[in-house]
Amino acid sequence: MIPIYKPFKCRESVEYSKEAIDSNWISSQGLYLDSCKDIFKEKFGYKYVIFTSNGTTACHLMAEGLKFKYPSIKNIIVPNNVYVAAWNTFQMSTDYNFIFLEPNLDTWNAEYNDLNLIKLNPKETAFLIVHNVGNIVNVPKLKEKFPDFVFLEDACEGLMGEYETLPTGQASWLSAFSFFGNKNLTSGEGGAVVTEDEEIFEYLNSIKNQGAGGKSRYVFERLGYNYRMTNIQAAILQGQLENIDYIKQEKSRVFEKYKEYLRGISGIETQQIEEGTEPANWMFAIKYLNGPKTELEMSLFDNGIQTRPMFPPVTHHHHYSHIKITTSNAESLYDTCFMLPSYPDLTNNQIKFICNKIKSFC
């Protein structure tokens, strides 16, 4: 079976994680938490970085930061067809009102031109950008159009992408990343929040650590959470970061080979890249237009190829089923799109095998 994803296993990650274990610093303190953070900042240019236990807790910290710094904001502009954590983490924080946007059928990202018909108050409204399946939204361009609004990024699928030559996450007030096992860089679980705002950095760094910040041990300044990354996670991630050029090269190869081998197959389309952006090359996904996609997915499974579905519209989730919004584009993408194996060690012969099976079916 060709799996949907396998994390890149490098010698350094194994070596560093063993060193972390041997040092007895296996929890939320240890040398790798600092050294890994320094490398992460150096590689991507982020000013302040907070490591977290996973991408979902990173997104929840963004929601808490928004509530702390901009308490008048009650509306969140968000896509209606992304991974559920983008919505859940803001609902966990306060009773935000979502302004849902339908996706563009070519990029699969939110169609922000739809906002021309909505009267928005920047004192009450923020943008939550999600780079769907690793396809990058041009945030700098969007900020030019909406200069008075607060921007946040759920960049959990967008790490290693770019907009206007900047790494994803740099253009927004707060951005969150995931290092889950199927992400371009992984620590098993793990996540990060980045910002250039020192005040919000200090606040979020406190509440991710039970509200610590006082001068006395076990005396806390505020209500907080335990959202800390472990030293072992940081050790694994540091090894990944030291191999980032190779990982990026191999992910690019995988995506280019898919495009080459799928070119010209009737009924198959891929995500279109927005001008001024470079995709993160997270998961390669296709749109199948010649019939029920489940038939093609089952054919691939029968040939030993795993796939994953596109994210469903928000209304498919039980706790959001009461929402009354238009989801025709989101439904269309959910019905026609799915993800293919996309890990760095996927060979050209495996990609050709997958594409030949798709071609034969079509």
Side-chain angles (χ1 to χ4, degrees):
M1 177 69 72
I2 301 176
I4 189 70
Y5 211 88
K6 292 194 298 185
F8 176 68
K9 298 174 184 177
C10 56
R11 174 184 54 81
E12 293 86 350
S13 289
V14 175
E15 177 184 324
Y16 298 157
S17 58
K18 184 178 183 302
E19 288 178 359
I21 292 170
D22 290 343
S23 75
N24 293 323
W25 294 101
I26 63 173
S27 296
S28 57
Q29 296 183 53
L31 295 177
Y32 285 105
L33 286 160
D34 291 327
S35 59
C36 182
K37 188 178 296 182
D38 288 342
I39 296 172
F40 187 71
K41 290 163 71 173
E42 176 189 344
K43 294 290 185 182
F44 294 101
Y46 306 125
K47 187 172 183 180
Y48 297 112
V49 175
I50 300 169
F51 280 157
T52 65
S53 53
N54 55 59
T56 300
T57 55
C59 287
H60 186 222
L61 286 181
M62 286 202 303
E64 288 291 306
L66 186 68
K67 182 171 66 174
F68 171 76
K69 185 117 183 192
Y70 299 100
S72 66
I73 289 180
K74 301 299 180 186
N75 304 314
I76 307 292
I77 299 168
V78 67
N80 71 356
N81 68 323
V82 294
Y83 186 63
V84 69
W87 309 308
N88 285 353
T89 50
F90 280 78
Q91 289 295 89
M92 287 159 53
S93 184
T94 192
D95 191 22
Y96 283 113
N97 171 54
F98 292 132
I99 300 174
F100 288 105
L101 296 182
E102 278 268 69
N104 180 290
L105 291 175
D106 294 325
T107 66
W108 312 359
N109 282 323
E111 180 54 83
Y112 293 100
N113 289 329
D114 292 349
L115 290 174
N116 294 332
L117 304 177
I118 304 173
K119 188 175 181 181
L120 301 171
N121 183 346
K123 293 182 179 180
E124 299 176 351
T125 308
F127 282 78
L128 177 60
I129 306 298
V130 184
H131 306 290
N132 213 0
V133 200
N135 202 23
I136 304 303
V137 177
N138 193 329
V139 177
K141 185 178 178 181
L142 200 57
K143 288 178 68 178
E144 290 179 4
K145 188 173 181 180
F146 300 96
D148 299 324
F149 289 79
V150 174
F151 278 76
L152 308 102
E153 283 178 54
D154 175 346
C156 289
E157 298 159 20
L159 186 62
M160 299 200 320
E162 295 182 358
Y163 38 51
E164 303 297 340
T165 73
L166 294 173
T168 48
Q170 273 207 12
S172 295
W173 173 60
L174 284 173
S175 297
F177 297 100
S178 170
F179 305 126
F180 184 61
N182 67 2
K183 296 301 188 290
N184 286 339
L185 296 177
T186 183
S187 56
E189 282 281 357
V193 180
V194 302
T195 186
E196 294 198 353
D197 184 328
E198 184 176 8
E199 179 190 21
I200 203 65
F201 166 73
E202 297 290 347
Y203 175 73
L204 295 183
N205 211 32
S206 170
I207 67 168
K208 76 107 184 217
N209 188 24
Q210 304 283 20
K215 295 180 180 179
S216 300
R217 195 176 184 88
Y218 305 134
V219 177
F220 298 89
E221 289 192 338
R222 54 180 64 88
L223 178 67
Y225 309 91
N226 181 3
Y227 284 174
R228 298 170 294 192
M229 177 182 279
T230 69
N231 195 39
I232 294 178
Q233 288 176 309
I236 296 170
L237 182 59
Q238 180 165 320
Q240 295 263 306
L241 283 164
E242 290 177 2
N243 286 273
I244 189 173
D245 291 339
Y246 177 78
I247 294 172
K248 192 169 185 177
Q249 168 191 303
E250 290 305 291
K251 291 300 296 272
S252 178
R253 173 190 59 81
V254 168
F255 273 58
E256 289 305 314
K257 285 299 178 183
Y258 267 126
K259 291 175 184 177
E260 176 185 341
Y261 295 144
L262 291 173
R263 191 171 295 122
I265 299 179
S266 176
I268 298 295
E269 294 182 359
T270 58
Q271 280 179 291
Q272 299 301 300
I273 299 168
E274 187 176 343
E275 184 179 355
T277 70
E278 291 290 336
N281 293 338
W282 174 51
M283 296 293 289
F284 192 89
I286 62 173
K287 182 190 294 184
Y288 177 62
L289 299 174
N290 287 351
K293 72 165 184 178
T294 51
E295 294 181 0
L296 175 53
E297 286 181 295
M298 285 305 302
S299 175
L300 293 174
F301 183 80
D302 290 341
N303 283 280
I305 302 163
Q306 279 190 342
T307 63
R308 288 290 184 272
M310 178 59 181
F311 304 122
V314 62
T315 51
H316 281 225
H317 304 291
H318 179 75
H319 54 300
Y320 295 124
S321 59
H322 63 283
I323 296 173
K324 305 300 181 185
I325 56 170
T326 299
T327 60
S328 56
N329 282 10
E331 293 284 359
S332 175
L333 292 178
Y334 183 55
D335 288 342
T336 57
C337 301
F338 61 92
M339 306 176 205
L340 296 171
S342 303
Y343 50 93
D345 290 331
L346 192 67
T347 68
N348 291 346
N349 284 339
Q350 287 174 315
I351 298 169
K352 193 169 188 178
F353 173 78
I354 295 167
C355 294
N356 282 341
K357 293 303 178 184
I358 293 172
K359 185 176 183 179
S360 297
F361 184 89
C362 290

